[in-house]
Amino acid sequence: MHYTGTIWRPPYEAESLLVEATAGCTHHKCKFCTLYHDLPFKFRMSPMEDIESDLQEAARAVKDWNNGKIDRVFLTGANPFVLSYNKLAAIAELIHKYLPSVNSVGSFARITDITHKTDEELARLRTFGYDGLTIGIETGDDEALRFMNKGYASADIIKQCQRLDAADIHYSFFYLVSISGAGRGEIGAKLTADICNQTHPVLIGANMLTIYPDSELFAEIQQGNWQEEGELEKYKEMRTLVENLQIPTTFAAMGASNAYQFHGQLPKDKKRLLSFLDEIIGNVSEEELQRYRKSVHHL
């Protein structure tokens, strides 16, 4: 298989076949992000011959396990959905040629990746199996989106995700706890809940902001331009988000950035999740949580 650098996937894609469609990020300007610093380039699409070769290899290997079936393919790279309709359609054609049991194809996506596709193209991509995108919206706080240089505003999240809804393409959100900075966490959480309540994410995954020295955000902190939330403030922020969500969705804190991992269905499990967060806020010390944050050397 052709893989480049560190391969990232959401926790819930653990059983999906990972096929590299792109490497790096088209944006590569978010101040907090260091995920693709190990690459010698900003972004590239995988050659179609490499994608086809990987699918052929997977087709040979799958004969010996899982009754010869793969249900889902997850295209790796920071935002493979940025590829044009024609390229995504060609990749889907290869997937179905070599792995006819596949019924859905997912990937990471930026909000701006959706903008460049027509409504008709989105609908056709859905018929090719594209479904279950993971979108790192990070927040609905426009002030934080601007400062972190995300390249879109909260109104864009609503507009583009409603277009995905119309195309019947399901999606999940990644929310970045602490992105609004010290003293603004609960404000950012309420603004994010407002965005989520106008869209239909099947899952909202909360990740704790972990700042590394090679990030642009670290330099902003050193210059006194931004201050990180304390660890307990992060949990208060997360609690505010859960409390203000009014849509049916899965809420989950997964991955290495979270000292305490949990998930539940909203609205059914809201009281249980709030109680769990209250236990952390009331009984876990800032020092203990800080020790965990400092132990996270890589996401």
Side-chain angles (χ1 to χ4, degrees):
M1 303 291 285
H2 296 83
Y3 294 125
T4 306
T6 304
I7 302 302
W8 303 96
R9 61 153 177 82
Y12 44 81
E13 297 287 359
E15 296 184 1
S16 302
L17 172 65
L18 305 181
V19 175
E20 184 175 289
T22 62
C25 177
T26 54
H27 186 62
H28 203 61
K29 295 176 183 177
C30 299
K31 291 184 179 180
F32 55 83
C33 184
T34 60
L35 295 186
Y36 301 97
H37 283 192
D38 61 336
L39 298 179
F41 51 82
K42 177 182 174 182
F43 174 86
R44 75 178 183 199
M45 177 185 173
S46 299
M48 288 298 291
E49 55 265 30
D50 287 357
I51 295 174
E52 183 168 19
S53 173
D54 288 348
L55 291 169
Q56 291 171 332
E57 181 179 341
R60 291 192 297 270
V62 77
K63 294 178 181 179
D64 300 324
W65 62 281
N66 201 33
N67 297 317
K69 291 185 178 180
I70 291 177
D71 297 325
R72 180 168 171 80
V73 169
F74 185 81
L75 302 178
T76 68
N79 57 321
F81 205 67
V82 73
L83 297 177
S84 69
Y85 164 80
N86 288 334
K87 289 177 180 176
L88 289 172
I91 291 171
E93 183 178 358
L94 288 175
I95 290 171
H96 296 306
K97 175 181 178 180
Y98 293 107
L99 299 168
S101 62
V102 168
N103 54 45
S104 67
V105 181
S107 75
F108 286 120
R110 281 178 48 81
I111 288 296
T112 52
D113 298 345
I114 306 162
T115 307
H116 302 300
K117 295 173 178 62
T118 68
D119 292 342
E120 293 74 18
E121 288 173 340
L122 290 174
R124 286 199 294 270
L125 288 173
R126 179 65 180 91
T127 67
F128 296 150
Y130 285 95
D131 196 25
L133 301 177
T134 294
I135 306 172
I137 63 163
E138 321 303 2
T139 184
D141 179 355
D142 279 323
E143 183 177 318
L145 289 170
R146 283 192 297 271
F147 180 79
M148 295 297 177
N149 199 19
K150 283 297 299 182
Y152 55 79
S154 59
D156 300 316
I157 299 172
I158 298 171
K159 180 178 180 179
Q160 298 308 321
C161 287
Q162 288 178 345
R163 294 182 65 225
L164 291 180
D165 291 335
D168 195 34
I169 296 176
H170 300 86
Y171 50 89
S172 297
F173 287 161
F174 274 2
Y175 173 71
L176 196 54
V177 183
S178 186
I179 192 173
S180 293
R184 282 188 54 86
E186 293 187 74
I187 295 171
K190 290 177 181 178
L191 291 169
T192 303
D194 182 59
I195 296 300
C196 294
N197 290 338
Q198 298 178 67
T199 54
H200 298 87
V202 296
L203 179 144
I204 300 170
N207 298 288
M208 294 285 189
L209 177 63
T210 306
I211 301 165
Y212 295 103
D214 56 340
S215 68
E216 187 178 347
L217 183 56
F218 183 84
E220 293 278 15
I221 294 171
Q222 298 301 106
Q223 294 166 20
N225 298 330
W226 192 85
Q227 185 179 350
E228 184 182 7
E229 290 181 13
E231 295 299 311
L232 285 172
E233 187 179 355
K234 292 177 184 178
Y235 279 97
K236 291 175 183 177
E237 175 184 342
M238 200 185 308
R239 188 195 189 285
T240 299
L241 176 59
V242 173
E243 186 175 34
N244 285 274
L245 288 170
Q246 303 298 326
I247 54 171
T249 189
T250 297
F251 187 88
M254 303 175 288
S257 70
N258 297 288
Y260 292 89
Q261 299 188 4
F262 60 92
H263 70 278
Q265 297 295 126
L266 298 179
K268 177 174 67 74
D269 296 326
K270 179 178 281 192
K271 289 184 179 180
R272 176 177 64 81
L273 295 181
L274 292 176
S275 177
F276 180 79
L277 289 166
D278 285 338
E279 284 290 317
I280 296 172
I281 294 166
N283 297 297
V284 182
S285 70
E286 177 73 19
E287 292 72 24
E288 181 179 345
L289 293 170
Q290 285 285 355
R291 281 195 297 272
Y292 180 81
R293 181 68 44 225
K294 292 174 182 177
S295 75
V296 182
H297 299 297
H298 197 282
L299 296 177

